[in-house]
Amino acid sequence: MTRTTRTTGTARANWAAFAAAAPGFAKTVEARFATQPHHILATLRRDGSPRTSGLEVQFLNGELRFGMMPDSMKALDLLRDPRFALQVNPGDGTGMGGGDVRISGRAYEVVDAAVKGSYAEEVKPPEGPFHLFRTELTEVVRTYVEDDTYLVVEAWRPGEPVRTVRRT
């Protein structure tokens, strides 16, 4: 199911809506995340300061989902304040092959047992309880170097076309 919502002035879309709006960009972003298993999730602590944590992500059935250990600090952060930023793992060295990718949005806990069961069958998390979050994207950004000359920034927001800026 493709979902785009607008509340409090901020448009949000699930992964399927992003992929439908910008299919080439979505494939590039997914491929970039596929190069490494672990990425960096930024959440907000109770006092509003940032917390970064390692995280595996899954793109399943038109959704970007996060599975987490029960009562992990990042899960508790998201339960309190759903805003997040997800940064792709840069990989080895400084090459940044495929560019630097960041996804921002909100993550909401999935409590539906059938959805969690389907996720567990597909992903095979460790035995026992876990938190599962679905995401609503507010921005996807890719930054890379083109021809050793240009810094290129591609950005997408729900309801807008992909913007590309090249700087020398």
Side-chain angles (χ1 to χ4, degrees), residues 4-6 11-13 137-139 156-160:
T4 302
T5 58
R6 179 178 290 280
R12 300 185 302 239
L137 315 179
T138 56
E139 184 177 55
W156 174 86
R157 290 184 178 166
E160 299 177 13

Side-chain angles (χ1 to χ4, degrees), residues 88-104:
V88 73
N89 183 325
D92 297 333
T94 59
M96 296 291 289
D100 181 48
V101 174
R102 179 184 46 82
I103 299 172
S104 299

Side-chain angles (χ1 to χ4, degrees), residues 43-75:
T43 57
L44 295 170
R45 298 172 191 254
R46 185 180 309 274
D47 67 3
S49 62
R51 180 192 318 272
T52 58
S53 309
L55 181 74
E56 294 181 32
V57 301
Q58 289 79 34
F59 299 91
L60 298 171
N61 303 317
E63 298 284 350
L64 168 58
R65 297 207 170 145
F66 310 150
M68 299 175 196
M69 295 185 336
D71 299 324
S72 64
M73 297 309 293
K74 59 191 164 197

Side-chain angles (χ1 to χ4, degrees), residues 78-149:
L78 289 172
L79 290 170
R80 185 178 49 261
D81 185 327
R83 294 176 292 173
F84 74 89
L86 177 66
Q87 188 85 26
V88 73
N89 183 325
D92 297 333
T94 59
M96 296 291 289
D100 181 48
V101 174
R102 179 184 46 82
I103 299 172
S104 299
R106 290 179 172 80
Y108 299 99
E109 187 170 29
V110 174
V111 294
D112 182 288
V115 173
K116 286 183 79 171
S118 176
Y119 173 87
E121 285 178 22
E122 182 84 25
V123 175
K124 308 276 190 264
E127 288 293 320
F130 63 94
H131 291 285
L132 178 61
F133 292 86
R134 66 174 178 79
T135 61
E136 293 184 357
L137 315 179
T138 56
E139 184 177 55
V140 180
V141 177
R142 177 178 175 234
T143 305
Y144 61 98
V145 176
E146 181 178 79
D147 298 331
D148 290 327
T149 304

